[in-house]
Amino acid sequence: VLASLPLQMMLYFNVYYFPVWFLAEGMMLQLKYQLLPRHYQFLLVAAFLILSLAEGSRLYLGYVGNLQEK
């Protein structure tokens, strides 16, 4: 198997740091949400959801792709 060990290590640590980032960003979003205008509230929540989904799928596809040599 020709899986990339440095990539696998980075993905492994990123899987553990992602929930920390998610919680910290969620708490900051909750703290400043009421102080922002409506359009910024919508944009901030949309960006948070898109980034969270993209990061989760990136980690999953990275694991699967690296271990299956794709």
Side-chain angles (χ1 to χ4, degrees):
V1 177
L2 296 174
S4 172
L5 181 61
L7 175 62
Q8 194 66 30
M9 288 173 57
M10 287 192 302
L11 288 169
Y12 178 80
F13 289 120
N14 202 347
V15 164
Y16 286 108
Y17 289 130
F18 174 63
V20 174
W21 172 84
F22 186 80
L23 288 174
E25 193 71 26
M27 288 178 6
M28 287 185 282
L29 174 65
Q30 182 184 12
L31 289 174
K32 65 181 174 179
Y33 187 77
Q34 299 301 325
L35 303 174
L36 296 172
R38 281 275 183 225
H39 58 285
Y40 283 132
Q41 289 176 349
F42 173 75
L43 290 174
L44 194 60
V45 170
F48 178 67
L49 291 175
I50 290 170
L51 286 173
S52 298
L53 290 173
E55 182 69 14
S57 62
R58 184 188 70 85
L59 290 173
Y60 172 73
L61 292 174
Y63 257 105
V64 172
N66 189 41
L67 294 179
Q68 293 180 357
E69 300 177 26
K70 291 184 180 179

